[in-house]
Amino acid sequence: MAQTDEDDPLSWARDYTPILAAYQAEYGETTPLDGYTIAFASHLETKSGVAIETLHEAGADVLFAPSEPQSTHGPVVDALDAREGITAFAWEGMTDDEFDNAQHELLEEEPDFILDDGCELIAKVHAEHPDVAANVIGGGEQTTAGITRLEAMEAEDVLQFPVYGVNDTPMKHFFDNVHGTGESSLTNIAITSNSIIAGKDIVVCGYGYCGRGIANKARELGGKTIVTEVDPRKALQAHMNGHRVMDMDEAAEAGDLFISATGNRDVIRAEHFERMDDGVILANSGHFDVELDLDGLEELAEKTTTPKEGVTRYHMPDGRRLNLLAEGRLVNLTGPYSQGHPAEVMDTTFAMMFVAAYDMLVDDPELEPGLYNIPDRLDREVASMKLETLGLSTEKMIESQRAYGEEWEHPDSSF
Ligand code: NAI
């Protein structure tokens, strides 16, 4: 088991990831993943570091690469790469080209299993390393944007191996997307801009899991929230939850702070930038840096300046200044002060990623190529472990309750 000391960049995160610690203790003894090489792509910081060492403790050789060029923490990469059986294809401050090349170099090492974030490695292995893809046993995908790409691959019938859609399991999206993204996005926006949430008109684009977390938490901090949506049911849900609902044209004129979390592209574009007030703040929490049309913003501006680290100010010819955080990349992971999600949340996300690898490699459900949900019993097991680590207990159903759920005539009912 890895040592915890002051020089160890993972020690703090390890204290807040008790499920991963339990896996390390249990599987460090039995090493069920011995003989397998697992590729791991993620934002490379302390919590993903603990996930990588957990796979390694369980016996796997681990090859890891970033899922975003700007979110890598150098000390974490160096500490992991120094261990035998763990290889980094990453360093802090990579360019987009270096990021791309490193992922190809990793795939040339022919991993048996791929744990992915944004479908970066899985898409590349299919498109450019078909011989490697042919021998991959399976994969797991951690985020919504990656599931969207996998669904497109499945629709085209090109997937060569089975993939668990880890994002779609309740123990991932109810906690990571809602609470993790919600808290860490607002925290990093506040720190990067050194401005207050309370009293601001805050436009949240998208009311899915992430947008819901951001909007609800912003309102709890005193923000006056506005939601934009393309799905009428989500828009209605936002309305019933007490947010103002508008189209983007109207919201552009009303907002002080804009946060996009749609998984889509060109959500805020030139016609919207033209309507915004002087001094607005723009941020993105979606996986790719295409939610804000940055080329459009660049074309409108007569110059850009950097008034503060992590802030790019676009000066409009009419004197308005629009302030973009973290270059439009994930604001909770790539800003100068960003550390990503709280460790307690990533404990469950990475537990589900671990379970995905364990189930396919060790229990071997013999799945055909395709995109699959994680079996519900595994999701429940992780939920129970998390509750146990928190010292919380649940009710156990008694026999009459179990039987009540199975009968339809309800003979004892008085109406
Ligand atoms: P989701 O699918 O639950 O929600 C996305 C919502 O955006 C949907 O309700 C959809 O109708 C809406 N939408 C799509 N196009 C829109 C547009 N043009 N205008 C307004 N609304 C629009 O997805 P989820 O889980 O909320 O993820 C959203 C994004 O956040 C994805 O890219 C995902 O990968 C990313 N993500 C980021 C994290 C982070 O750490 N920042 C963590 C987890 C997910």
Side-chain angles (χ1 to χ4, degrees), residues 3 24 29 41 57 112 135 153 157 214 238-239 271 284 314 328-329 383 392 397 407:
Q3 293 295 304
Q24 287 195 23
E29 298 286 322
E57 288 287 330
D112 300 305
N135 292 315
M153 291 175 81
D157 203 18
I214 295 167
H239 168 72
E271 67 246 44
N284 169 46
Y314 290 79
R329 299 177 188 269
L392 304 174
M397 272 220 232
E407 64 192 26

Side-chain angles (χ1 to χ4, degrees), residues 43 117 142-146 167 172-173 176-177 180-181 184-185 204-212 228-231 234 260-267 269 284-288 291 330-333 340-341:
H43 303 284
D117 183 21
Q142 129 170 225
T143 199
T144 313
N167 177 75
K172 200 282 180 176
H173 59 238
D176 175 316
N177 300 33
T181 311
S184 63
S185 295
V204 179
C205 307
Y207 201 66
Y209 293 107
C210 295
R212 202 179 315 153
T228 68
E229 251 296 344
V230 291
D231 180 336
K234 298 278 178 60
S260 185
T262 68
N264 208 341
R265 62 173 305 137
D266 304 328
V267 177
R269 10 179 226 280
N284 169 46
S285 289
H287 187 81
F288 294 110
E291 303 222 359
L330 299 102
V331 72
N332 59 328
L333 279 147
H341 286 22

Side-chain angles (χ1 to χ4, degrees), residues 238-319:
H239 168 72
M240 296 286 208
N241 286 344
H243 304 289
R244 284 174 291 162
V245 172
M246 299 177 188
D247 62 33
M248 198 58 226
D249 280 350
E250 195 183 353
E253 290 176 359
D256 301 313
L257 164 61
F258 296 81
I259 310 167
S260 185
T262 68
N264 208 341
R265 62 173 305 137
D266 304 328
V267 177
I268 308 182
R269 10 179 226 280
E271 67 246 44
H272 307 129
F273 298 130
E274 280 176 334
R275 290 166 179 255
M276 290 178 182
D277 283 342
D278 176 36
V280 298
I281 295 172
L282 307 166
N284 169 46
S285 289
H287 187 81
F288 294 110
D289 61 351
V290 295
E291 303 222 359
L292 281 57
D293 175 15
L294 300 181
D295 291 340
L297 183 56
E298 191 93 35
E299 273 174 32
L300 287 176
E302 57 183 17
K303 65 170 181 173
T304 59
T305 55
T306 308
K308 188 178 182 308
E309 195 186 6
V311 184
T312 311
R313 176 167 284 170
Y314 290 79
H315 296 259
M316 298 295 146
D318 60 9

